[in-house]
Amino acid sequence: MVSTAVPVELYLRSNFEPDAEYVDGEIQERPVGEYDHAAWQSALVVYFRQHNREWNVRVQAELRVQVGESRFRVPDVTVLDRDQPIEQIVTHPPIAVFEILSPEDVMSRMLVKLADYERMGVAGIFVIDPKGSKYRFENGSLKPVGSGPVTCGRLAIDFQEIEQLLD
C-alpha cells in the first residue's frame, strides 16, 4: 500500500481507481478485489435492493463515508437510511457497512477501519471472508455470525440468502 500526505481538499477533488481512503492526511489505497470479492459485493447490493422499500433503505457500493473530521472510508457496500438526505459523501451514520476481505487485506488495518465506523455510530459493521466466514464488529471486536438471519435495526440480514445470489 502506498501512502502520500496531502490536504483533504486535494483528496476530495481527486479520482482514484479503485477509490482510495483518506486517513489523517494520508491517502490509503484499497486492495483491488478479485472475482470472489466482486461477486459478494454484487450479491449484497442485489439483496438490499430487493428489500429497499420494505426496509426503507438505499444501498451503494464503494461510497465515500466521512467517519471523522479527517477520515474518509470507502466501505465495499453501504446501507443507508432512506429517510436521510442523499449525500455525495455520507456524513450521517449508515445503517450498515460491509467489508469484503481481499488477499491483500491486513487485519490490523481493517480493525482500525472498523473502529472508525463504530465511532461514527454505524449500527451494523460486517466483514465477509469470501472463503466462508462472516463476522460482526461490535464493541471493538470481531464476532462470528451464526447461520441464521442477523438483526440490525429494521434489517434482517440472511447471509445464506445472499450466498444464493453469488454468481
Side-chain angles (χ1 to χ4, degrees), residues 131-150:
K131 303 217 181 307
S133 300
K134 289 120 192 120
Y135 303 92
R136 185 169 189 168
F137 186 80
E138 295 179 298
N139 302 315
S141 64
L142 284 171
K143 298 173 177 135
V145 171
S147 59
V150 177

Side-chain angles (χ1 to χ4, degrees), residues 91-151:
T91 62
H92 295 88
I95 295 171
V97 295
F98 295 82
E99 293 290 350
I100 304 157
L101 296 177
S102 296
E104 302 84 25
D105 277 317
V106 177
M107 191 51 71
S108 59
R109 185 173 161 192
M110 179 63 71
L111 291 171
V112 171
K113 180 189 291 197
L114 302 175
D116 281 348
Y117 297 139
E118 189 170 63
R119 273 190 299 282
M120 182 191 197
V122 178
I125 305 165
F126 298 92
V127 176
I128 297 171
D129 180 348
K131 303 217 181 307
S133 300
K134 289 120 192 120
Y135 303 92
R136 185 169 189 168
F137 186 80
E138 295 179 298
N139 302 315
S141 64
L142 284 171
K143 298 173 177 135
V145 171
S147 59
V150 177
T151 303

